[in-house]
Amino acid sequence: MTPIKINHVAVVVEDVQAAIGFWRDALGLPLQHTERNEAEAVEIAFLPVGEGEIELIQPITEESGVARYLAKKGAGLHHLCIEVEDIAAALERIAASGAELINDTPRSRPDGTLYAFVHPKSTGGVLLELYQLPAK
Amino acid sequence: MTPIKINHVAVVVEDVQAAIGFWRDALGLPLQHTERNEAEAVEIAFLPVGEGEIELIQPITEESGVARYLAKKGAGLHHLCIEVEDIAAALERIAASGAELINDTPRSRPDGTLYAFVHPKSTGGVLLELYQLPAK
């Protein structure tokens, strides 16, 4: 099955309000909402564009994975998320190809979205997230 | 004017054929075509997904900008391209906000697509390309 679309592109930033100053105020994207996720220790701004969205992610502690990424690599493009129809089938096919999965089986967000990450070493350097949205 | 969509996400890779082994063969994206651009010293594979596409870019010399990026930063997400209706108006608005443009005025590709880059220091670390497609 062919993947459906780019669901989002995630950007790690030092300061989400400053980044909104560019992506919303200068570039002109709508700001759908911002969200503080205490579990992952990040603040995220969601800016839709076409059928996808830009997510601006700021770490709010110094210990999270995203905070360590920011400290090591600096601000910038963090991961790409592609939406598929059947994430279990996609992961099976990717694993069968010999590519390395970070999540062998899909994990679930509170809204029912299933997700899993593919390791950058198998994609040409890209941290790739797959999404399967809940049935409506 | 609100930007239209994510036109493409560009990935710099060591080996475009190996990367196609993941993005086409394992993930299942169609490979639209590959192109050797001697002027920019890159080989590019274009893989459409939804209304956008993934571009896998391999430098074919060691002197190009992309080759230096690869040597310095390693393979991975390189830039994000967002399509707008009126690139001149978008650049004017971005410049007026105080953001730094790499191209103050749009440049033109052979097919008539207008493009310009915004400097990562103004976007939260993202090399951002803007596209305006030629009128049909």
Side-chain angles (χ1 to χ4, degrees), chain B residues 10 22 49 135:
Chain B
F22 176 78
V49 53

Side-chain angles (χ1 to χ4, degrees), chain A residues 12-23 43 56-59 70 75, chain B residues 123-124:
Chain A
V12 176
V13 299
E14 301 269 0
D15 178 340
V16 76
Q17 292 306 324
I20 288 170
F22 175 78
W23 294 88
E43 185 163 349
L56 305 172
I57 305 177
Q58 176 194 333
L70 179 62
Chain B
T123 63

Side-chain angles (χ1 to χ4, degrees), chain A residues 3-134:
Chain A
I4 299 169
K5 63 172 185 175
I6 296 173
N7 181 285
H8 63 268
V9 174
V11 179
V12 176
V13 299
E14 301 269 0
D15 178 340
V16 76
Q17 292 306 324
I20 288 170
F22 175 78
W23 294 88
R24 179 189 61 188
D25 302 337
L27 183 59
L29 294 182
L31 175 63
Q32 192 192 65
H33 72 291
T34 61
E35 178 182 303
R36 198 175 170 92
N37 182 326
E38 300 290 345
E40 297 182 18
V42 290
E43 185 163 349
I44 311 181
F46 297 86
L47 300 105
V49 52
E51 66 186 10
E53 69 188 1
I54 308 297
E55 294 187 9
L56 305 172
I57 305 177
Q58 176 194 333
I60 53 178
T61 68
E62 290 184 0
E63 295 79 41
S64 67
V66 172
R68 289 194 303 268
Y69 181 94
L70 179 62
K72 189 175 167 191
K73 301 248 194 177
L77 292 166
H78 180 262
H79 71 264
L80 168 67
C81 177
I82 289 184
E83 194 178 314
V84 297
E85 206 173 300
D86 182 343
I87 194 171
L91 292 177
E92 196 173 323
R93 183 168 162 166
I94 290 168
S97 78
E100 182 167 336
L101 301 172
I102 293 175
N103 311 109
D104 287 328
T105 54
R107 304 181 67 173
S108 184
R109 297 205 189 282
D111 71 354
T113 298
L114 299 176
Y115 70 97
F117 284 92
V118 184
H119 198 286
K121 77 164 109 171
S122 298
T123 64
V126 177
L127 178 58
L128 175 66
E129 184 174 26
L130 300 179
Y131 255 20
Q132 178 185 331
L133 297 193

Side-chain angles (χ1 to χ4, degrees), chain B residues 5 12 14-15 26 35 37 39 42 45-46 51 62 65 69 76 81 85 88 95 100 103 106 110-111 115 118 122 134:
Chain B
K5 64 172 184 175
V12 176
E14 301 269 2
D15 177 341
E35 180 181 302
N37 182 324
V42 290
F46 296 87
E51 67 186 11
E62 290 184 359
Y69 180 94
C81 177
E85 205 173 304
E100 182 169 333
N103 311 109
D111 71 355
Y115 71 98
V118 184
S122 298

